[in-house]
Amino acid sequence: HFVPHSVHIYHKIGHAVHDHPLCVHNATFAIPIDSLNDDRFYLKSIHGQESTKLIFASFLIGIHATVYAILADEVAKAIVISVRGTLSLEDVVVDLQCLPQELSEVGRKCDFEGSGHYCHSGILSRGKWMYEDIRKRRILHEVFSRGSPYENYDLVIVGHSLGAGCACILATMIRHKYPRLRCFAFEPPGCVYDEALCNFSESFITSFVRHDDIGETQA
């Protein structure tokens, strides 16, 4: 069910809001929190997404910044964070920043045991940027607040390729606040986490990899 969300973030979501008044300099799109019930923000122009509402999207791209969107999927009853995979030159640079980085500091900040665990350094930088961007904008806080039409929805994080790796670290970083969250990683790089942290995250992260995909099985 969540695969289309990881696909449409590449192009279709951006095209859907390109000329919208709420799309600021083609960099971010955000609906007013008091407009969560507004029917105008369904992605009706994308086939199969007529019951999905776009709440926020960032189209910023850099070594740290990455394209992502926050959606309300009214069929799955879930708020979905979708993270784009490799598409730009900056994304390729991040892919190549594959030295392991220890997670003690991140673990202390996000209430998980990061000591002795490691993450792909480029993916970690993207995950930390998303974490801070979502936090400072208070998007999830508002969406799940009392009185919101989505206060009882589940939280799901999805991504494909590089976006799948970023989805994994973001899920790990915010799980202490949203313990019921699920992450679906489609074709993630094989070097996101060390083996022990992979085993720990099995309870909330599900990865999907083709058996003959060289990039994911050899990374």
Side-chain angles (χ1 to χ4, degrees), residues 102-113:
E102 214 260 354
L103 293 172
S104 292
E105 181 181 347
V106 176
R108 286 192 296 270
K109 182 175 183 178
C110 300
D111 198 24
F112 71 90
E113 182 52 65

Side-chain angles (χ1 to χ4, degrees), residues 85-195:
T86 301
L87 189 63
S88 68
L89 179 59
E90 291 90 345
D91 296 330
V92 175
V93 172
V94 172
D95 281 323
L96 295 175
Q97 293 178 347
C98 55
L99 291 176
Q101 185 166 338
E102 214 260 354
L103 293 172
S104 292
E105 181 181 347
V106 176
R108 286 192 296 270
K109 182 175 183 178
C110 300
D111 198 24
F112 71 90
E113 182 52 65
S115 179
H117 293 300
Y118 296 85
C119 179
H120 181 294
S121 60
I123 290 173
L124 178 60
S125 71
R126 288 269 175 101
K128 291 165 70 175
W129 181 86
M130 280 192 295
Y131 175 89
E132 290 298 333
D133 195 54
I134 292 170
R135 183 191 61 80
K136 73 181 182 182
R137 296 178 187 276
R138 296 174 57 83
I139 304 168
L140 295 183
H141 174 80
E142 298 290 349
V143 167
F144 289 115
S145 65
R146 187 177 299 276
S148 164
Y150 307 118
E151 63 176 305
N152 295 316
Y153 272 37
D154 293 326
L155 178 60
V156 174
I157 306 176
V158 302
H160 166 260
S161 182
L162 172 61
C166 296
C168 290
I169 185 61
L170 179 62
T172 303
M173 293 177 73
I174 67 175
R175 184 169 176 258
H176 68 292
K177 291 186 177 179
Y178 306 97
R180 292 170 47 207
L181 77 76
R182 294 288 301 171
C183 175
F184 297 103
F186 303 104
E187 302 289 326
C191 53
V192 177
Y193 284 153
D194 61 81
E195 184 176 1

Side-chain angles (χ1 to χ4, degrees), residues 5 13 29 31 35-44 49-56 69-75 78-80 149-150:
H5 295 314
I13 290 177
F29 171 91
I31 67 173
S35 298
L36 289 177
N37 284 310
D38 197 319
D39 292 343
R40 293 177 298 168
F41 301 111
Y42 287 109
L43 293 171
K44 296 178 181 178
Q49 299 298 295
E50 295 85 358
S51 296
T52 297
K53 189 177 291 183
L54 179 61
I55 295 173
F56 174 84
I70 299 179
L71 311 157
D73 184 329
E74 296 185 359
V75 174
I79 296 299
V80 181
Y150 307 118

